[in-house]
Amino acid sequence: MSKDINLDTHITDLVNVFKWEDLKDVCLVVHSYGGWPGSGALEQIGDRVSSIVWLDAFKPENGQRGFDFASEISRKRFLAAVEKGEPGRPAPTAEAFRVISEKDRAWVDSKTTPQPNGVAIQPIKLTGAREKVAKKTYIRAAKYPQPAFDQALAECKADKSWRTFEATESGHDVMVDAPQWLVDVLLQVS
């Protein structure tokens, strides 16, 4: 954890995996915050990606910041962490993400780590590479309240170049709540 970690750090991490592993014809699946670095990475590796899946994920536009989408409570927590000089803030809990099973909540909580503050305040630089990917899918987890994801789903439904699905019985972590359903959808759209 460092104050030096920003959105570009995560974008570079993704880009480097593609470059160093020489990945091509990939289905890139991003979840939640992953929509930010995924969108940014496509600016550099879009020619290596044959399909994308935004799984209950942010779909940022050029110049936006993660902080712009934070709730009032999240903004206060973020600003308090920055004021204290802390490089990050605690990750949301599995309960907040509406993970259905108590057992799964404990497991998810055991895997979360603090989120670096710098990723939320750096504006993203996009030129439209995400929209140039031939196969695009947006999956919305219906049981998790997030207005930005509702808006992304509505935009994708209105754009015939996107396929959309709704995980009606799942919280935000679809891969935990409905793994087989998700596998079936991913195989269908990749």
Side-chain angles (χ1 to χ4, degrees), residues 90-110:
T93 65
E95 184 176 0
F97 284 141
R98 309 285 168 91
V99 172
I100 295 171
S101 159
E102 289 285 333
K103 181 180 173 188
D104 288 340
R105 285 181 188 172
W107 179 80
V108 168
D109 285 338
S110 77

Side-chain angles (χ1 to χ4, degrees), residues 21-22 48 57 60 80 166 187:
E21 299 295 327
D22 197 26
R48 296 171 178 249
E166 293 183 59
L187 290 172

